[in-house]
């Protein structure tokens, strides 16, 4: 079981001042090879995704022409989080709060794009806390500390069936 804090991934990847010098990062499983290329003048990456018919390439090079699909565009700060079977898990963020974005690489479609900062992956099921617009009981306390408050609800996504379910729990989350 691994819990992933998505907002921290954005901070650790590339700063805007060094993005043009950052090398592509490669990630592979037995089905796909994904090359993340930082934008030269913007936050985030674009991703060249290639279906594998054998071993993953030894060189880590972004090749849009050879890729089966390219995900991401300037102005959309996507960061790599995980590659599980046919699912590419990304975060979208330039600050403390972000979004959980999941692509089904078999169809080439986004199957999840929600405001959530962390997830837990267990047996091809992703659990995540989706932020809502509802305030919560700690609103006054958080506001006094210069923060806002929202209610986050627990949800799960089964990566095999692509079905999102309500996890039956909620919590108060401080936000900036």
């Amino acid at each position: 079981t691994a819990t992933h804090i998505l907002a921290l991934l954005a901070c650790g990847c590339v700063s805007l001042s060094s993005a043009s010098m950052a090398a592509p990062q490669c990630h592979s499983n037995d089905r796909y090879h994904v090359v993340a290329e930082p934008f030269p003048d913007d936050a985030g990456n674009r991703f060249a995704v290639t279906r594998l018919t054998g071993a993953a390439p030894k060189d880590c090079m972004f090749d849009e022409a050879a890729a089966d699909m390219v995900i991401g565009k300037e102005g959309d700060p996507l960061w790599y989080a995980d590659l599980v079977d046919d699912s590419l898990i990304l975060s979208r963020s330039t600050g403390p709060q972000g979004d959980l974005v999941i692509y089904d690489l078999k169809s080439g479609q986004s199957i999840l794009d929600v405001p959530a900062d962390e997830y837990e992956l267990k047996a091809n099921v992703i659990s995540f806390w989706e932020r809502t617009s509802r305030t919560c009981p700690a609103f006054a306390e958080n506001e006094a500390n210069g923060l806002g408050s929202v209610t986050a609800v627990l949800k799960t996504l089964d990566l095999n069936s692509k079905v999102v379910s309500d996890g039956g729990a909620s919590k108060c989350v401080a936000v900036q």
Side-chain angles (χ1 to χ4, degrees), residues 21-107:
M21 297 183 287
Q25 298 288 315
C26 288
H27 311 277
S28 297
N29 63 15
D30 63 339
R31 301 175 189 189
Y32 297 93
H33 180 68
V34 177
V35 181
E37 179 183 64
F39 292 112
D41 298 316
D42 208 351
N45 297 275
R46 62 186 188 144
F47 301 87
V49 179
T50 306
R51 287 186 176 95
L52 293 176
T53 56
K58 291 181 182 179
D59 294 332
C60 186
M61 297 181 61
F62 190 93
D63 186 349
E64 187 169 351
D68 293 310
M69 72 184 85
V70 175
I71 297 168
K73 61 185 186 292
E74 282 196 69
D76 191 11
L78 294 173
W79 307 95
Y80 176 86
D82 215 340
L83 178 61
V84 180
D85 295 334
D86 294 318
S87 300
L88 177 60
I89 303 170
L90 306 170
S91 66
R92 177 186 299 112
S93 179
T94 58
Q97 279 77 48
D99 299 330
L100 176 61
V101 181
I102 301 177
Y103 277 85
D104 172 36
L105 298 179
K106 204 174 215 181
S107 70

Side-chain angles (χ1 to χ4, degrees), residues 86-136:
D86 294 318
S87 300
L88 177 60
I89 303 170
L90 306 170
S91 66
R92 177 186 299 112
S93 179
T94 58
Q97 279 77 48
D99 299 330
L100 176 61
V101 181
I102 301 177
Y103 277 85
D104 172 36
L105 298 179
K106 204 174 215 181
S107 70
Q109 300 297 310
S110 171
I111 58 170
L112 187 75
D113 192 337
V114 296
D117 296 315
E118 58 186 85
Y119 70 93
E120 182 177 34
L121 175 64
K122 188 187 244 182
N124 276 352
V125 175
I126 293 181
S127 300
F128 58 94
W129 292 93
E130 183 176 348
R131 293 185 312 278
T132 68
S133 59
R134 296 182 311 213
T135 59
C136 54

